[in-house]
């Protein structure tokens, strides 16, 4: 029986834009597991299987419910140890956390200020009010104000990606010659942007754009098949 | 026969302040290898064994000369595979490069602007003219100007350490339960600052300060025994 995964969707249910869901989606594909995704919206908290924290991803595998992208990755590695490894040992797992912490404190924090209005435009009608209210409370200003100067912020944002740039310039993937969970964490952030926004975050000749292309090619082009923009 | 390591020193030859030399020094200690260090100054290019690139660290092990901190780490792992591992596998090695790239594009780039004048004050008299000229050319201004507003820059610098902070708040070392080469890379930068400067880069209750304390305790307190300031 395939694994079921609850996956954040926009008003178009083929638009899957959660960076955390993309981590899980790519991890499931890495393990070669069959998945049926259920499109889910922010305001459908009561539709998730228990236990959950009102957020996705949540997966159901053979009756077991696992929520939170990190817990899902750990579960998959433990439950399917004979399939391709996501981490490759305890040291790699620990170092992956550094990549995750960089992604969550630098990359995602920078990215949201470019695409938050585009996310708003793509979430379902029932979610728009919730999304605007919760995000405007977080930023302390309107979504329109948050993104207003994004062109001017682009050089600094691109510079903040230097650790990633230098890494994927010198090796095909963050995890080395083959992709690992560290790649899926970073890629989730770019796929989040790409799925809702036409804004060009990366210069065409940026080594990170080439890496993103390699990520989009993985697992039969899985991440290209979702509704998204260019790149 | 112990390994010989050429190690950057100040006017006081017990003051060892190169971040790259600290990587090698800690890696040698991690492997439990006996080392004799030779204090070396920037202007003593002709005193290094060949081949070299006019920089330290350079080690000589059983007649073999290895230069460059990354090459030394790779050499030690290959040559002494039965001793404690620095990397722990190919994926961990690849992910360590991400930590290295973060250290070199964020941490060290930020740090130098706090301590470059302190370095100048501690390098040997023969090195001072060289150091000032080469660093002022790099910064396009005087060393005094570079550090002038360092108090004002401290909050942004500390914020830039969030990926590291979040990591060592949740696990003892960057590499997990035990230190690895990734820790030595990051620690080298802090030891660079600590060996020449009284300036408090970290708040006392910063989880990074606690991690630095754990690093200073390693290998019989090796890094505490060099001439340095507080912390």
């Amino acid at each position: 029986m395939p694994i079921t995964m609850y996956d954040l969707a926009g008003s178009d249910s083929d638009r899957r834009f959660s960076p955390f869901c993309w981590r899980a989606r790519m991890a499931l594909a890495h393990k070669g597991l069959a998945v049926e995704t259920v499109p889910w919206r922010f305001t459908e908290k009561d539709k998730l299987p228990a236990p959950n924290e009102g957020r996705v991803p949540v997966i159901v595998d053979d009756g077991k419910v696992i929520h939170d992208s990190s817990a899902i990755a750990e579960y998959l590695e433990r439950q399917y140890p004979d399939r391709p490894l996501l981490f490759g040992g305890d040291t790699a797992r620990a170092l992956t956390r550094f990549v995750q912490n960089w992604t969550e404190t630098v990359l995602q924090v920078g990215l949201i200020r470019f695409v938050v209005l585009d996310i708003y435009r793509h979430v379902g009608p029932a979610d728009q009010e919730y999304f605007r209210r919760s995000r405007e409370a977080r930023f302390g200003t309107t979504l329109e104000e948050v993104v207003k100067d994004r062109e001017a912020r682009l050089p600094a944002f691109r510079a903040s990606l230097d650790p990633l740039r230098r890494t994927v310039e010198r090796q095909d993937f963050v995890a080395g010659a083959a992709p690992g969970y560290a790649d899926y964490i970073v890629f989730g952030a770019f796929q989040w942007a790409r799925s809702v926004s036409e804004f060009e975050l990366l210069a065409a000749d940026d080594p990170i754009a080439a890496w993103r292309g390699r990520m989009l090619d993985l697992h039969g082009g899985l991440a290209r098949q979702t509704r998204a923009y260019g790149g």
Side-chain angles (χ1 to χ4, degrees), chain A:
Chain A
M1 209 171 76
I3 291 173
T4 302
M5 173 177 150
Y6 291 78
D7 192 10
L8 189 64
S11 57
D12 175 346
S13 61
D14 284 342
R15 196 175 301 278
R16 307 295 174 91
F17 65 92
S18 157
F20 301 100
C21 288
W22 274 107
R23 295 182 191 180
R25 192 80 190 278
M26 297 297 278
L28 286 158
H30 185 95
K31 289 284 184 190
L33 296 164
V35 184
E36 276 179 7
T37 65
V38 178
W40 178 87
R41 275 84 183 189
F42 288 114
T43 42
E44 298 178 332
K45 310 248 184 244
D46 58 341
K47 293 197 182 165
L48 291 176
N52 68 73
E53 293 188 335
R55 283 177 308 207
V56 286
V58 177
I59 67 168
V60 185
D61 183 19
D62 195 22
K64 292 185 291 290
V65 177
I66 304 104
H67 64 93
D68 176 278
S69 56
S70 297
I72 290 170
E74 294 289 347
Y75 167 82
L76 295 176
E77 194 79 331
R78 196 171 56 241
Q79 191 73 7
Y80 302 98
D82 299 335
R83 291 169 176 254
L85 295 175
L86 288 164
F87 295 105
D90 286 344
T91 305
R93 178 184 270 100
L95 293 168
T96 295
R97 289 196 201 104
F98 183 88
V99 176
Q100 177 177 342
N101 292 333
W102 178 82
T103 300
E104 295 177 4
T105 62
V106 179
L107 177 55
Q108 294 186 175
V109 169
L111 258 178
I112 186 73
R113 295 185 159 266
F114 289 88
V115 302
V116 70
L117 187 60
D118 295 310
I119 298 174
Y120 173 77
R121 289 179 179 140
H122 285 98
V123 298
D127 280 3
Q128 281 195 323
E129 193 274 327
Y130 157 80
F131 186 81
R132 180 180 283 278
R133 183 168 34 80
S134 60
R135 271 48 177 184
E136 293 190 344
R138 191 185 297 172
F139 288 112
T141 186
T142 65
L143 302 183
E144 287 75 6
E145 275 299 310
V146 173
V147 303
K148 201 179 60 178
D149 62 342
R150 65 182 183 176
E151 284 288 352
R153 273 186 284 107
L154 195 54
F157 172 73
R158 288 179 176 176
S160 78
L161 307 182
D162 274 349
L164 174 63
R165 180 170 296 115
R166 199 179 276 197
T167 303
V168 297
E169 194 170 41
R170 299 172 184 186
Q171 59 199 33
D172 277 355
F173 296 99
V174 178
Y181 192 63
D183 290 274
Y184 302 138
I185 291 170
V186 181
F187 177 69
F190 284 101
Q191 187 72 348
W192 180 35
R194 186 179 164 277
S195 61
V196 295
S197 181
E198 292 186 282
F199 190 76
E200 283 294 351
L201 291 160
L202 302 171
D205 64 351
D206 190 330
I208 299 172
W211 165 82
R212 188 178 54 181
R214 292 192 287 278
M215 296 301 294
L216 288 166
D217 290 339
L218 291 177
H219 312 312
L222 169 67
R224 284 197 200 280
Q225 291 155 23
T226 184
R227 189 84 71 234
Y229 294 93

